[in-house]
Amino acid sequence: SDLKSIQWLEQVHGSKVFCLESPTQNASQSKINDPIPRADACFTRSSGVACAVMTADCLPILLCSENGEEIAAVHAGWRGLADGVIESTLEHFSVPKKNILAWMGPAISQQQFEVGAEVRQAFLDQARLEQKELTEQAFIPSSRKENHYLADLYQLAEVRLRAIGIERVFGGHYCSFSQGKDFFSYRRDGETGRMVTLIYKKNKSKL
């Protein structure tokens, strides 16, 4: 297999990006005494090493340049999205934003993701003028609890991706909470496992 190693992260619901420059660097971090990077996204131009994120309701996003030279995996819960983890990750790409593809993996759906009014306000406060309407539409009032909303992580992420210039956005048709046979969900089960979403480059000499 072309996959030689996996870069794990200690995810902290922030916007820090770990840049992995070589498989050798990754291998050194796999030793027992070496710390796993505290970050919520991983970016690399190296072949044979996977950028990986773990989720169980949060949104995993995979990014790659059209030519396959640059890749990244992003862990995007609402805090990370609000803090700009997508924007921070895309800063590491050297290609024009129109040449980057995005795929959104399994996350909790809007119907199951209830949040407080402060979460909605955090996104509205940060949204650019042209993003305000679509951002507002990502929240609908909850019938279960007063002053709470059902939040659409997929739409919140897509609004940000497209605002930056990412035109090709795929995925976003899952619900980790409702699709219990397929996915783990922290909100559904409390104590649960995690899904791993990863991306890696094959060695071009073997293609």
Side-chain angles (χ1 to χ4, degrees):
S1 170
D2 287 320
L3 179 58
K4 304 303 180 186
S5 58
I6 299 174
Q7 179 61 60
W8 303 105
L9 302 174
E10 184 183 342
Q11 298 166 185
V12 293
H13 295 274
S15 60
K16 186 176 179 181
V17 183
F18 178 71
C19 289
L20 179 63
E21 295 306 329
S22 70
T24 303
Q25 178 186 353
N26 179 76
S28 69
Q29 288 172 343
S30 67
K31 296 176 184 177
I32 294 174
N33 295 324
D34 286 335
I36 296 174
R38 288 172 60 86
D40 286 274
C42 182
F43 169 87
T44 192
R45 295 184 179 91
S46 300
S47 301
V49 55
C51 297
V53 291
M54 294 188 294
T55 59
D57 284 333
C58 289
L59 174 61
I61 303 172
L62 299 182
L63 302 166
C64 71
S65 58
E66 191 175 48
N67 61 11
E69 291 300 316
E70 299 176 317
I71 60 173
V74 181
H75 165 247
W78 77 260
R79 288 182 180 84
L81 280 175
D83 283 347
V85 68
I86 290 176
E87 293 84 348
S88 296
T89 306
L90 287 168
E91 286 178 6
H92 295 278
F93 282 78
S94 63
V95 299
K97 300 299 185 290
K98 67 178 182 179
N99 294 337
I100 298 174
L101 290 76
W103 179 79
M104 301 187 292
I108 193 168
S109 67
Q110 182 174 27
Q111 291 75 18
Q112 303 295 341
F113 189 38
E114 187 176 80
V115 298
E118 73 282 357
V119 175
R120 174 178 176 270
Q121 196 59 51
F123 280 95
L124 290 176
D125 288 346
Q126 294 176 4
R128 303 173 191 170
L129 186 60
E130 65 272 18
Q131 295 175 283
K132 290 280 187 184
E133 186 177 350
L134 288 174
T135 300
E136 195 164 10
Q137 289 173 6
F139 295 90
I140 58 175
S142 173
S143 60
R144 307 165 194 163
K145 202 171 183 180
E146 189 178 353
N147 207 29
H148 278 64
Y149 294 83
L150 300 179
D152 190 337
L153 278 177
Y154 290 122
Q155 181 164 329
L156 289 168
E158 187 166 351
V159 166
R160 287 182 172 242
L161 285 163
R162 293 193 183 279
I164 298 168
I166 309 299
E167 299 169 355
R168 287 170 288 178
V169 182
F170 305 93
H173 310 297
Y174 315 93
C175 179
S176 52
F177 186 101
S178 300
Q179 295 174 253
K181 291 183 178 179
D182 300 312
F183 305 120
F184 294 115
S185 170
Y186 180 78
R187 284 218 170 191
R188 184 188 64 230
D189 301 327
E191 218 174 294
T192 187
R194 296 291 186 271
M195 282 91 70
V196 176
T197 303
L198 56 81
I199 183 171
Y200 75 97
K201 288 170 54 178
K202 287 189 174 183
N203 190 327
K204 281 193 171 182
S205 64
K206 296 183 180 179
L207 295 181

